């Protein structure tokens, strides 16, 4: 039985982030899916063995909720290796939708919604103050969204109000820019004018200073670990079935464990997915339950041979 741990929740969120990248979906899908998962975990008592199915079905539901092109459930199960059937995934998605009262074709309000709203508010304010150039240098919407993904995948930020989390993220980016230009007095004064505007926005959103400072400390800690690559990455056991013909041309992979190098991040906005951009990779099966939580077990390349027909 057991209970859902923070590690299990965060691991599932990181898998959803990988699925978002794999299917080339917009950030909205990831935040909608994580929103569904967190709300469902808050409302229902869930067993760890059901976490994989719940998270992937929430991803499937988020795609439908945002009117994205439908992803084949069999392919989604194969890529995520969530140890459930297509029928299980569809049934769980219906349960999540009914329990949470999900409204189709209506995007949920998340921290992503506020980060975009605040960005355009600050952009207009910067233009009015004649600080458009300094604003563009200090803050990038693509960078804000990328870092907000990291925060959304951490349970420490799950209890922070979406508006507060978004505003803290903007403050954090301003702090980084000020630190990088601390010897430039003119830049320091100009960015200070934007900080004053942000403080007024904080008051307008009725965010107490104590709560804001606490949230700021959490965000700073998470991003520091992320930027320093000190956080242990989440891992998932993958099992692939190969034909005997393929096995003959592969080098031995028995009990091979490998860790992939860190991929450099590029700041670019992802557009909506088109049917032509779908990447299908089938033929995978989930590993047997060996007592380890999904998806935090080590990455182990395991090949199961079957005879060609």
């Amino acid at each position: 039985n057991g209970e859902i741990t923070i590690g299990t929740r965060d691991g599932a969120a990181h898998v959803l982030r990988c699925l978002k990248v794999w299917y080339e979906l917009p950030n909205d899908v990831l935040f909608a899916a994580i929103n569904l998962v967190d709300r469902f975990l808050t409302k229902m008592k869930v067993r760890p063995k059901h976490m994989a199915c719940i998270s992937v079905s929430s991803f499937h539901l988020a795609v439908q909720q945002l009117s994205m092109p439908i992803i084949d459930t069999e392919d989604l199960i194969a890529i995520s290796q969530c140890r459930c059937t297509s029928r299980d995934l569809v049934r769980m998605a219906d349960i999540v939708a009914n329990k949470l009262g999900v409204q189709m074709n209506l995007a949920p309000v998340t921290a992503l919604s506020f980060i975009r709203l605040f960005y355009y508010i600050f952009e207009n304010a910067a233009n009015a103050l004649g600080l458009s150039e300094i604003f563009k240098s200090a803050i990038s919407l693509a960078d804000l969204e990328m870092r907000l993904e990291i925060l959304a995948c951490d349970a420490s930020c799950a209890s922070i109000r979406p508006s507060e989390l978004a505003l803290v993220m903007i403050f954090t980016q301003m702090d980084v820019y000020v630190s990088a230009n601390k010897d430039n007095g003119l830049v320091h004064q100009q960015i200070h004018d934007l900080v004053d505007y942000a403080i007024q926005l904080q008051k307008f959103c009725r965010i107490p200073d104590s709560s804001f400072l606490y949230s700021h400390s959490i965000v700073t800690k998470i991003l520091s670990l992320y930027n320093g690559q000190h956080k242990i990455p989440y891992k998932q056991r993958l099992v692939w079935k190969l034909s005997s013909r393929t096995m003959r041309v592969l080098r031995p992979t028995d009990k091979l464990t490998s860790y992939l190098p860190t991929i450099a991040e590029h700041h670019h906005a992802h557009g909506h997915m088109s049917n032509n951009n779908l990447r299908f990779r089938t033929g995978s099966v989930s590993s047997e339950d060996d007592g380890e939580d999904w998806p935090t077990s080590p990455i182990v390349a395991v090949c199961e041979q079957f005879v060609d027909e």
Side-chain angles (χ1 to χ4, degrees):
N1 295 332
E3 297 180 352
I4 300 298
T5 63
I6 291 178
T8 303
R9 181 268 179 200
D10 289 353
H14 279 277
V15 170
L16 297 184
R17 190 178 182 219
C18 291
L19 290 175
K20 187 268 296 186
V21 174
W22 177 265
Y23 289 106
E24 299 178 349
L25 293 167
N27 295 332
D28 307 69
V29 174
L30 173 64
F31 282 88
I34 293 179
N35 176 270
L36 292 173
V37 171
D38 286 339
R39 288 167 56 201
F40 191 79
L41 292 179
T42 302
K43 195 169 186 178
M44 306 296 295
K45 186 174 182 180
V46 176
R47 294 182 179 180
K49 66 179 182 179
H50 296 145
M51 187 61 192
C53 185
I54 291 171
S55 57
V56 177
S57 63
S58 295
F59 184 85
H60 178 67
L61 181 60
V63 170
Q64 294 177 310
Q65 184 181 12
L66 298 177
S67 302
M68 296 284 108
I70 301 300
I71 299 174
D72 180 69
T73 54
E74 292 292 344
D75 186 72
L76 182 58
I77 291 170
I79 298 302
S80 65
Q81 299 203 359
C82 60
R83 304 176 186 173
C84 65
T85 65
S86 178
R87 186 176 179 180
D88 292 337
L89 189 144
V90 173
R91 184 170 65 249
M92 183 61 74
D94 289 338
I95 293 175
V96 173
N98 292 331
K99 292 294 183 181
L100 301 181
V102 175
Q103 295 179 306
M104 292 300 175
N105 304 319
L106 184 62
V109 178
T110 64
L112 182 65
S113 309
F114 282 102
I115 203 75
R116 290 171 176 170
L117 176 63
F118 289 160
Y119 175 83
Y120 292 121
I121 290 176
F122 274 98
E123 186 178 44
N124 291 331
N127 292 336
L129 295 172
L131 303 175
S132 57
E133 293 300 323
I134 195 74
F135 175 78
K136 292 178 181 178
S137 301
I139 299 177
S140 164
L141 181 58
D143 190 58
L144 287 174
E145 291 190 11
M146 183 274 294
R147 296 186 183 280
L148 195 62
E149 284 186 12
I150 304 303
L151 300 180
C153 291
D154 196 299
S156 302
C157 297
S159 60
I160 301 177
R161 290 169 53 190
S163 58
E164 183 173 350
L165 183 61
L167 193 56
V168 167
M169 186 68 256
I170 292 178
F171 260 98
T172 303
Q173 288 300 95
M174 288 183 180
D175 291 341
V176 171
Y177 188 78
V178 169
S179 299
N181 297 273
K182 57 184 178 180
D183 296 330
N184 190 328
L186 178 60
V187 170
H188 189 276
Q189 179 58 43
Q190 289 176 330
I191 201 70
H192 184 72
D193 293 338
L194 288 177
V195 171
D196 288 340
Y197 186 82
I199 293 174
Q200 295 301 319
L201 188 58
Q202 174 195 339
K203 294 179 179 178
F204 181 80
C205 294
R206 299 179 181 179
I207 302 174
D209 290 340
S210 57
S211 176
F212 189 86
L213 292 175
Y214 177 72
S215 300
H216 187 274
S217 65
I218 293 176
V219 169
T220 302
K221 180 180 179 181
I222 294 173
L223 293 181
S224 296
L225 291 174
Y226 175 76
N227 293 332
Q229 299 179 10
H230 297 312
K231 192 170 184 178
I232 299 175
Y234 289 92
K235 309 173 187 70
Q236 181 180 4
R237 180 181 175 87
L238 303 176
V239 178
W240 309 102
K241 275 192 174 181
L242 302 175
S243 67
S244 57
R245 182 185 306 169
T246 304
M247 287 288 288
R248 284 195 293 268
V249 298
L250 291 179
R251 63 186 178 88
T253 57
D254 184 38
K255 297 182 180 180
L256 172 64
T257 302
S258 62
Y259 294 90
L260 300 178
T262 302
I263 300 175
E265 294 172 341
H266 301 283
H267 307 310
H268 64 276
H270 296 285
H272 290 279
M273 176 187 66
S274 63
N275 291 329
N276 296 329
N277 291 331
L278 278 174
R279 294 178 291 182
F280 294 101
R281 182 176 62 186
T282 57
S284 60
V285 295
S286 61
S287 59
E288 296 297 329
D289 189 0
D290 54 6
E292 296 176 321
D293 289 341
W294 179 89
T296 56
S297 55
I299 296 176
V300 181
V302 181
C303 297
E304 295 181 352
Q305 182 178 357
F306 63 90
V307 180
D308 288 324
E309 297 181 355

